[in-house]
Amino acid sequence: MSEPAKDPAGGPLVLVVEDDAQMRRFLRVTLRMHQYRVLEATSAQEALVCAAARRPDLVVLDLGLPDADGITVVERLRTWYSGPVVVVSARHQEPDKIKALDAGADDYLTKPFGTGELLARLRAALRTHNRTAANVDQGVFVTGTLRVDHDRHEVESRGQPVKLTPLEYRLLQALIRHADKVVTRTQLLREVWGEAHVDEAHYLRVYMSALRHKLEADPARPQMLLTEPNVGYRLRTQ
Amino acid sequence: MSEPAKDPAGGPLVLVVEDDAQMRRFLRVTLRMHQYRVLEATSAQEALVCAAARRPDLVVLDLGLPDADGITVVERLRTWYSGPVVVVSARHQEPDKIKALDAGADDYLTKPFGTGELLARLRAALRTHNRTAANVDQGVFVTGTLRVDHDRHEVESRGQPVKLTPLEYRLLQALIRHADKVVTRTQLLREVWGEAHVDEAHYLRVYMSALRHKLEADPARPQMLLTEPNVGYRLRTQ
DNA sequence: TGCGTGCCTGACGCTGCCTTGATGCCGGAT
DNA sequence: ATCCGGCATCAAGGCAGCGTCAGGCACGCA
């Protein structure tokens, strides 16, 4: 764990967990340049200690660490840490990436990635997490043209009331629960259909399709109900 | 039983009964954040003691406790406690959920659920409970277009007097007694037909149909006498 | 004894939902 | 250029739950 000298105060505190020096340097420079304060760890061990001690606002975690796999880190973190965790994975570690998301990570970046993408993801992760419970206070979830009233179990799209079947409603709820986060197929299936059907990926396609046709202006080009190829889905808010 | 230090005064006092630490933490944080004061118990034993000692305004009870099943807790609570009890159940314990409602729980949440749902249910439970006495005060129950005079045994719908058969009347009373609550089939059958006929679900269909035709503007699209699929019925007031 | 009212019971139909398979499209890989 | 896997869409089957209807029976009353 280290916090090299002069960090500009004010920006969000980010913990970067990355063993490769090159990559670490890139992340450090980029983040500093954009007013983040940066902590660094080069192993799982270090990462957990540092996170506990410094309570960062966000964790960027590279999978493929020397001492333990990243999944374990996510699990251990999640026992107490509720902030956003963004996972960085090399292209050939797809299964790990998914495991990490299942374990509670919020989003992922696949190497190689550019500065723009990195910053966008981090901003999104922080934004989501800071989002106040203003909507929740009313028992209503609102984003764009979508409006979900938990009290009355009613859904509205572009001002029009929409009838959802129980499963559709549950699926939508699950997505809202993880708004702006990547939700893996397994996770969605578990939450909506139960443990017994975690590999009926086809259900998801059918019901996502249904949701899109009921909620999206142009179901073929969804604005909210996004597909994350090879991983799952995501509800984009705003 | 525990009440960690500083609770803001003012909000309703909620007793959370939950053995899983993660879940307990989520509930605590969420509720605190929304001005509830929170008590916690991790076992049936503790729950009963705590409830008796502190008289919470509401109880959130997870089924599937280590020392006793949640149904027992509801039963024991109901021997003296009249406040709202909201049950939390995992998806695979549906039968238990119904048993808990039969035993006197007010509403239920199925894991996993989001903050919105949680808060909505609690608000509804508290709201209903504070108001239950009001309508019954004069021996007259009024909601929407429906008016029931318990003293005179008279029912009015949209200004017109309506003749109900004795059984219809008793069924309506049972629903009014639990206004806005989910009432299981078993419970209705018990209260109207008696213990011996708790599984004659067909009676309910016939008599609910009759009630709807006499009381609802459009019996095919009931506004007050609502079906809770796979569970029972509910009288919606307002 | 005849009539009316209310209750039970079975049959029926319907709707809405879930599941499943077939098909087509697109983009990436070979 | 072609193949292939993953995703979206469509349509059909089947099922369960619920609502509705009508006939029969019992009871009370005149």
Side-chain angles (χ1 to χ4, degrees), chain A residues 87-187:
Chain A
V87 152
V88 174
S89 78
R91 186 156 200 71
H92 57 273
Q93 329 170 287
E94 290 264 318
D96 276 16
K97 176 180 79 184
I98 292 186
K99 278 186 213 154
L101 289 168
D102 274 334
D106 291 59
D107 204 346
Y108 64 90
L109 282 159
T110 303
K111 294 182 198 174
F113 51 85
T115 354
E117 197 181 348
L118 169 66
L119 294 169
R121 299 290 176 144
L122 298 201
R123 245 181 292 118
L126 285 169
R127 172 163 28 90
T128 306
H129 230 266
N130 290 333
R131 197 178 34 213
T132 46
N135 292 336
V136 178
D137 271 341
Q138 322 287 329
V140 178
F141 175 90
V142 182
T143 178
T145 62
L146 176 64
R147 187 169 172 286
V148 180
D149 186 329
H150 292 108
D151 282 21
R152 303 176 182 280
H153 258 235
E154 285 170 358
V155 179
E156 232 177 57
S157 181
R158 278 157 282 148
Q160 299 303 312
V162 175
K163 268 205 82 174
L164 297 187
T165 74
L167 271 183
E168 286 164 359
Y169 188 77
R170 270 190 85 75
L171 178 55
L172 180 59
Q173 291 266 12
L175 289 166
I176 290 177
R177 204 155 33 238
H178 306 288
D180 279 319
K181 285 178 49 171
V182 181
V183 198
T184 62
R185 282 189 286 266
T186 308
Q187 205 168 343

Side-chain angles (χ1 to χ4, degrees), chain B residues 202 209 212 227 230 233:
Chain B
H202 193 52
S209 173
R212 280 172 178 155
T227 302
N230 296 314
Y233 295 87

Side-chain angles (χ1 to χ4, degrees), chain A residues 2-3 7 13-17 37-41 50 54 56:
Chain A
S2 68
E3 182 188 8
D7 261 331
L13 185 61
V14 180
L15 170 58
V16 172
V17 186
R37 289 173 296 144
V38 180
L39 301 170
E40 296 176 28
C50 179
R54 310 292 303 277

Side-chain angles (χ1 to χ4, degrees), chain B residues 18-34:
Chain B
E18 167 66 74
D19 62 317
D20 177 59
Q22 292 273 353
M23 193 64 193
R24 205 167 57 240
R25 182 172 174 281
F26 166 72
L27 291 169
R28 185 201 314 134
V29 170
T30 309
L31 294 178
R32 287 259 169 76
M33 180 128 27
H34 291 84

Side-chain angles (χ1 to χ4, degrees), chain B residues 35-230:
Chain B
Q35 279 69 50
Y36 288 90
R37 290 173 297 145
V38 180
L39 301 171
E40 296 176 27
T42 59
S43 71
Q45 180 70 16
E46 232 185 281
L48 291 166
V49 172
C50 180
R54 310 293 303 278
R55 306 293 171 126
D57 300 306
L58 186 149
V59 176
V60 176
L61 172 65
D62 183 26
L63 302 179
L65 294 172
D67 54 338
D69 67 12
I71 288 92
T72 320
V73 179
V74 178
E75 281 169 356
R76 302 275 292 278
L77 267 179
R78 276 289 176 250
T79 60
W80 61 270
Y81 181 72
S82 65
V85 175
V86 175
V87 152
V88 174
S89 78
R91 186 163 183 65
H92 59 271
Q93 337 172 282
E94 291 264 319
D96 276 16
K97 173 183 83 184
I98 292 187
K99 280 187 212 154
L101 289 169
D102 276 336
D106 290 61
D107 205 345
Y108 62 89
L109 279 161
T110 303
K111 286 186 202 174
F113 52 85
T115 18
E117 294 161 86
L118 170 66
L119 294 169
R121 297 299 175 130
L122 298 200
R123 248 180 290 117
L126 285 170
R127 178 165 17 96
T128 306
H129 223 268
N130 288 334
R131 169 194 58 184
T132 307
N135 293 331
V136 190
D137 263 351
Q138 323 284 327
V140 178
F141 176 90
V142 182
T143 178
T145 62
L146 176 65
R147 188 171 171 285
V148 180
D149 186 329
H150 291 102
D151 294 349
R152 302 172 183 276
H153 256 238
E154 284 171 358
V155 179
E156 233 177 55
S157 179
R158 279 157 282 151
Q160 300 303 312
V162 175
K163 264 205 83 173
L164 297 187
T165 74
L167 269 184
E168 285 164 1
Y169 188 76
R170 292 186 57 185
L171 178 56
L172 179 59
Q173 278 199 318
L175 288 166
I176 290 177
R177 222 177 351 262
H178 307 287
D180 278 319
K181 285 178 46 173
V182 182
V183 198
T184 62
R185 283 189 284 265
T186 308
Q187 204 168 343
L188 284 172
L189 287 162
R190 195 199 319 275
E191 294 188 16
V192 178
W193 278 267
E195 192 63 45
H197 303 87
V198 285
D199 32 32
E200 306 274 9
H202 193 52
Y203 292 4
L204 282 179
R205 297 202 196 96
V206 174
Y207 280 85
M208 283 299 302
S209 173
L211 275 183
R212 280 172 178 155
H213 279 88
K214 292 187 179 184
L215 302 179
E216 292 274 7
D218 179 0
R221 280 176 209 76
Q223 301 297 307
M224 304 180 297
L225 302 165
L226 308 184
T227 302
E228 292 281 333
N230 296 314

